[in-house]
Amino acid sequence: MDADAILDRRRLKRRLNFWRLTAALAVMALIALGVGKYYSHGESHIARLSISGFISEDVERGEAIDKLVKRKDVRAVIVRINSPGGTTTGSEQIYHALRRVAAAKPVVAVIGTIGTSGGYIVAIAADHIVAMETSLTGSIGVLFQTAEFTGLMDKLGIKPFSLKSSPLKGQPSPVEPITEEVRQALQVLLEDSYDWFAGLVRERRKFDAAQLQQAADGRVFSGRQAVELRLVDALGGEPAARRWLKDSHGISLDLPVTDVRWGEEAGLLARTLDTVGGKLFKNERLTLDGLLSVWQP
């Protein structure tokens, strides 16, 4: 090779090394930016916890909430709710976790489009509840739904067979008639769960028996109606929540707000399904065990 070709090759190699180094530095900068965005950077801020869609048990979410208790850089927590509810145990998990946070720092709930049933259980864990005028809330109660296909199976000539240790084992079943004994057993279960839910509302909202009966009959209310019934404290969304934090706890309106994140390792597809699933509830709604506290028109 002549001298010019050797010089050109060396220049090309230097340029290639330069762009490789530039690309590596850019990737490291993006990683550092992502870490700074999604994790605490040590500065005082307000944490925003978003509870949306169908509520079910979530260990990673519970751990993320519990970490807020000892975070000295978190001055307060805003809980944004946009959920029709879900399982009673999923809502209970969030409720108790938020009460542990509220023992250490202010917690305010903001109900968006909807915060009913289990979504309202989450809301009453806060020290203060804010809603929009047209938000939907309430629907205090629990339900149990099933279906019976015995008539259809008779027409198709299908005869199910099962052996069980006692008459109430595996009940209710879609392939067996619902007896009065089964109905009574389920009613006792529902009443017990309703008493638990209503007891939380009575305790957290300081209701007497008459106020509880008026607010906890299962219907939904607009934000304006909920204020009159004292199911929520104020109207106005997150700005009203920030003003309450300032007036009641001296937390500056200029303090930044950082979203609480969890379950990032679940993958893009799972997170996308969580976001866009809406009332389809992904596959959870189809395979759900346990009692529901959910509003579904």
Side-chain angles (χ1 to χ4, degrees):
M1 299 179 64
D2 58 30
D4 288 339
I6 293 174
L7 290 174
D8 286 341
R9 181 180 290 272
R10 288 178 178 175
R11 281 194 293 267
L12 181 61
K13 183 178 291 188
R14 285 196 295 269
R15 290 175 183 172
L16 183 61
N17 289 336
F18 170 77
W19 287 113
R20 283 177 176 171
L21 178 61
T22 301
L25 292 174
V27 169
M28 287 188 288
L30 288 173
I31 292 175
L33 180 64
V35 171
K37 179 179 179 181
Y38 294 125
Y39 298 93
S40 171
H41 42 64
E43 297 180 359
S44 293
H45 63 278
I46 297 171
R48 182 194 291 121
L49 175 72
S50 296
I51 305 296
S52 59
F54 185 80
I55 298 173
S56 58
E57 287 187 87
D58 189 326
V59 174
E60 292 178 343
R61 179 186 59 211
E63 292 174 347
I65 298 174
D66 282 335
K67 288 178 181 178
L68 298 175
V69 177
K70 297 181 180 180
R71 290 274 297 275
K72 294 182 179 180
D73 54 340
V74 174
R75 295 284 309 280
V77 177
I78 294 175
V79 186
R80 290 194 64 96
I81 302 167
N82 188 15
S83 169
T87 65
T88 51
T89 50
S91 305
E92 180 185 359
Q93 178 196 37
I94 302 175
Y95 172 85
H96 289 304
L98 288 177
R99 290 310 302 150
R100 290 191 290 271
V101 176
K105 57 198 67 181
V107 177
V108 55
V110 178
I111 297 175
T113 302
I114 185 169
T116 54
S117 297
Y120 187 67
I121 292 176
V122 174
I124 59 177
D127 305 314
H128 190 74
I129 304 175
V130 179
M132 302 298 288
E133 292 187 57
T134 56
S135 297
L136 291 180
T137 188
S139 188
I140 296 169
V142 295
L143 61 91
F144 188 100
Q145 292 179 324
T146 186
E148 183 186 335
F149 302 113
T150 54
L152 177 61
M153 295 175 68
D154 286 341
K155 292 180 180 179
L156 297 176
I158 300 174
K159 294 183 179 181
F161 173 78
S162 62
L163 292 174
K164 56 180 70 177
S165 58
S166 59
L168 293 178
K169 179 62 179 176
Q171 292 290 343
S173 170
V175 298
E176 297 180 42
I178 298 178
T179 65
E180 185 59 30
E181 185 180 13
V182 171
R183 190 181 301 276
Q184 290 179 2
L186 292 175
Q187 188 63 39
V188 170
L189 178 62
L190 285 173
E191 289 177 358
D192 180 70
S193 294
Y194 172 77
D195 289 343
W196 169 80
F197 191 169
L200 287 183
V201 176
R202 182 177 59 247
E203 175 188 351
R204 296 295 301 150
R205 304 305 299 172
K206 302 296 188 291
F207 282 168
D208 57 30
Q211 291 171 322
L212 181 65
Q213 184 177 9
Q214 185 180 15
D217 62 358
R219 76 182 76 181
V220 295
F221 303 99
S222 69
R224 297 197 303 172
Q225 292 172 318
V227 167
E228 294 180 1
L229 292 170
R230 293 184 43 242
L231 286 170
V232 303
D233 298 297
L235 301 173
E238 189 165 314
R242 294 296 304 266
R243 289 194 297 271
W244 178 80
L245 288 173
K246 180 180 183 299
D247 295 340
S248 300
H249 299 278
I251 297 176
S252 172
L253 295 174
D254 296 327
L255 206 63
V257 178
T258 302
D259 290 325
V260 178
R261 295 181 177 271
W262 67 89
E264 295 297 323
E265 65 273 18
L268 178 61
L269 178 59
R271 296 199 304 274
T272 302
L273 288 173
D274 273 337
T275 302
V276 305
K279 291 188 177 180
L280 292 178
F281 300 152
K282 296 195 305 179
N283 292 327
E284 295 172 351
R285 183 67 183 87
L286 304 178
T287 60
L288 194 62
D289 288 328
L291 293 178
L292 298 181
S293 183
V294 60
W295 183 66
Q296 43 186 5

